[in-house]
Amino acid sequence: MAIKQHLNTDRRRFVKGIGATVGMAAAGTYLGFAKSAQADTFNVNMQLGWIASNGQLGEVAADHLGYYEKEGLSLTITPGGPNVDGVASVASGRAQVGQLSSSPSLMLARSAGIPIKCVAAGYQQHPFTYFSLKKNPIKTPQDMVGKTIGTQGTARILLRAMLAKHDIAYDDVNVVVMGGDMGPLMNGQVDAVSGWQSNINALNILGDQRVDMRLWDSGIQLYANPFYVTDETLQQHSDKVEAFVRATAKGWGWVHANPQKAVELLVKRYPNLNLESERKAVDVILKYVFNEETKTGGWGTMKAINWEQQIETYAKLDQFKGDVPTLGDVMTLDILDATKADRPKVG
């Protein structure tokens, strides 16, 4: 297939970025959970893969309502960004908990020798979507053949995975690397652009002419906003990880019951966010955080079979630098099992 010859460039870029992380994980001093000045309170630094956004509604609410404090924790949310290696921060112990935008990033890091593991899924389904217009709709992967698709550099592998699953040659699609701006779609430079359904600000320009094709619906079913810790943290501080998950789950449960109040707390903490846009986005967010899976499994639940399918997909595309990680390498259900009575079961 034509797909395979395009894959190594993306993989090399990722590996180069995490090469230093492996060294830090091997040589760095592990900090673990540190006690704060307040007796019996432990500091938890949560390292984000990107800037703080509506993906942190539950954590902000839990912090404001004192849920972490009740668990004996003090939470700090550290934003990431293009020049921040969040995985290195967690691997070296500078942060105790991390969150990535997508589950494959965790699998790739694990294959490269970084001992991190997912303990809960922030979003039950990934919001990654291809957006087109009604005058030239793209509703299925087959509709992409012969079309120009704009996507982010780091998201090209998602497009390749989707095309491969539907036996479409990568060369049958014209791929343009771009950012998150929807302008090229509106002016006809591309036939579709990729982004998250929760990015209301960017999507406003499309209005009622918008057509969505979700990656999830095309068969590439990834988790978004997975929470991860190191193997060492699980071994030495599983009780603190459980406490963090309990408090976070309760925070998201409160957001589910009080979405507009939660938005106000979020914007108060991060005034760079637009209040009206976040008010519109919160219902979209909650549909990804809570669904039929969480009705029975509770907030943060995840399935082993989903992870197994992701590993299989990326292995077929030759994306792993080292050995193909096993299910036990990339995720554990132990923390979810230990907190099942305290995680809200709503959908």
Side-chain angles (χ1 to χ4, degrees):
M1 245 186 166
I3 294 175
K4 197 165 183 178
Q5 65 186 5
H6 296 276
L7 298 177
N8 290 335
T9 299
D10 281 350
R11 184 178 61 182
R12 283 195 298 270
R13 285 173 180 163
F14 180 84
V15 169
K16 183 179 180 181
I18 63 176
T21 304
V22 178
M24 290 180 71
T29 301
Y30 180 74
L31 303 178
F33 283 75
K35 274 196 174 185
S36 69
Q38 185 177 347
D40 299 323
T41 298
F42 285 80
N43 293 320
V44 179
N45 180 13
M46 177 181 164
Q47 175 67 60
L48 304 182
W50 200 247
I51 60 175
S53 67
N54 46 32
Q56 282 66 61
L57 276 162
E59 292 89 311
V60 169
D63 198 24
H64 176 81
L65 296 167
Y67 295 162
Y68 293 111
E69 185 179 1
K70 290 176 183 176
E71 293 284 354
L73 305 176
S74 174
L75 179 71
T76 299
I77 301 176
T78 301
N83 299 314
V84 177
D85 189 341
V87 173
S89 182
V90 176
S92 66
R94 290 196 304 273
Q96 292 71 46
V97 179
Q99 187 181 65
L100 293 162
S101 62
S102 302
S103 44
S105 297
L106 189 150
M107 301 188 307
L108 293 170
R110 188 78 202 206
S111 175
I114 304 174
I116 58 173
K117 188 172 296 187
C118 183
V119 295
Y123 287 7
Q124 292 301 300
Q125 298 181 0
H126 206 295
F128 192 83
T129 301
Y130 295 95
F131 303 102
S132 58
L133 299 175
K134 289 180 179 178
K135 64 182 181 181
N136 183 24
I138 292 177
K139 299 179 179 180
T140 68
Q142 287 76 15
D143 292 338
M144 288 185 166
V145 174
K147 300 292 181 65
T148 299
I149 310 299
T151 193
Q152 298 73 36
T154 54
R156 282 178 293 182
I157 183 58
L158 302 181
L159 178 60
R160 288 168 181 152
M162 182 183 68
L163 294 176
K165 186 173 185 65
H166 292 270
D167 296 321
I168 300 170
Y170 187 78
D171 286 347
D172 287 345
V173 176
N174 180 32
V175 180
V176 177
V177 176
M178 55 175 283
D181 181 17
M182 298 290 160
L185 175 61
M186 294 300 290
N187 62 31
Q189 289 179 275
V190 298
D191 299 303
V193 294
S194 63
W196 284 35
Q197 279 189 334
S198 54
N199 192 352
I200 299 299
N201 265 339
L203 295 173
N204 277 337
I205 190 176
L206 305 184
D208 62 1
Q209 296 304 300
R210 180 178 131 195
V211 176
D212 295 10
M213 186 185 77
R214 297 197 310 157
L215 186 71
W216 182 278
D217 297 332
S218 76
I220 305 299
Q221 300 185 339
L222 314 175
Y223 287 122
N225 288 6
F227 293 86
Y228 68 95
V229 299
T230 63
D231 291 351
E232 190 168 2
T233 290
L234 281 174
Q235 292 164 4
Q236 297 185 3
H237 299 290
S238 62
D239 58 331
K240 302 299 186 299
V241 180
E242 291 169 14
F244 171 81
V245 168
R246 275 195 302 270
T248 304
K250 290 177 182 177
W252 276 105
W254 186 86
V255 173
H256 184 272
N258 305 275
Q260 295 304 321
K261 291 181 181 178
V263 167
E264 292 174 5
L265 292 178
L266 179 72
V267 175
K268 182 177 180 180
R269 183 155 180 167
Y270 300 108
N272 59 300
L273 299 176
N274 181 276
L275 180 61
E276 289 310 310
S277 292
E278 298 305 332
R279 288 188 186 281
K280 295 176 183 177
V282 66
D283 289 339
V284 177
I285 295 296
L286 288 174
K287 288 178 181 178
Y288 280 104
V289 176
F290 295 103
N291 63 6
E292 290 299 316
E293 299 294 340
T294 56
K295 280 185 178 180
T296 55
W299 174 89
T301 192
M302 52 188 179
K303 289 187 173 181
I305 190 171
N306 186 294
W307 281 99
E308 288 172 340
Q309 290 171 348
Q310 293 180 54
I311 293 171
E312 181 182 1
T313 295
Y314 271 65
K316 285 180 178 178
L317 294 172
D318 271 344
Q319 287 298 288
F320 295 117
K321 173 180 180 287
D323 293 336
V324 175
T326 66
L327 178 65
D329 288 334
V330 300
M331 63 87 77
T332 177
L333 295 175
D334 291 348
I335 301 300
L336 292 177
D337 288 342
T339 58
K340 60 184 178 182
D342 301 299
R343 293 180 289 106
K345 294 179 173 61
V346 295

